[in-house]
């Protein structure tokens, strides 16, 4: 965590910096929109799971996060 000291005082506010940020992730295959504006922030050491029916985009999202697939639009920030 980062520490920010305001006004020269001794108090410290801890800022939690996400380890993964997804902004407006979009992906389509042959005209079918699979991911449509996915936004997500995951903190370091946080555990998450993607749940949904077959064809809902879970594997595609994981492949984009891993860099194995490119999003059509959006931003992936991995810290």
């Amino acid at each position: 965590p980062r520490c920010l000291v305001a006004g020269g005082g001794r108090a410290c506010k801890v800022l939690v910096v996400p380890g993964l940020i997804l902004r407006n992730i979009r992906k389509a295959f042959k005209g079918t929109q699979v991911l449509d504006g996915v936004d997500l922030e995951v903190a370091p050491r946080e555990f998450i799971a993607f749940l949904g029916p077959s064809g809902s985009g879970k594997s595609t999202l994981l492949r984009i996060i891993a860099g194995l697939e490119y999003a059509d639009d959006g931003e992936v920030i991995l810290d």
Side-chain angles (χ1 to χ4, degrees):
R2 296 181 186 161
C3 187
L4 172 66
V5 180
R10 299 182 137 242
C12 183
K13 179 179 178 182
V14 176
L15 304 175
V16 177
V17 179
L20 171 66
I21 301 172
L22 303 180
R23 291 187 186 141
N24 199 35
I25 300 297
R26 297 179 186 279
K27 182 69 178 179
F29 294 104
K30 297 180 182 178
T32 301
Q33 195 74 33
V34 179
L35 301 172
D36 190 12
V38 175
D39 293 311
L40 176 70
E41 290 189 10
V42 182
R45 298 182 300 274
E46 184 176 16
F47 180 86
I48 64 166
F50 297 117
L51 304 174
S54 178
S56 64
K58 302 176 302 291
S59 294
T60 299
L61 186 59
L62 289 171
R63 290 178 59 81
I64 289 170
I65 292 169
L68 301 174
E69 183 112 25
Y70 291 106
D72 295 336
D73 193 16
E75 188 174 23
V76 177
I77 302 167
L78 192 56
D79 186 25

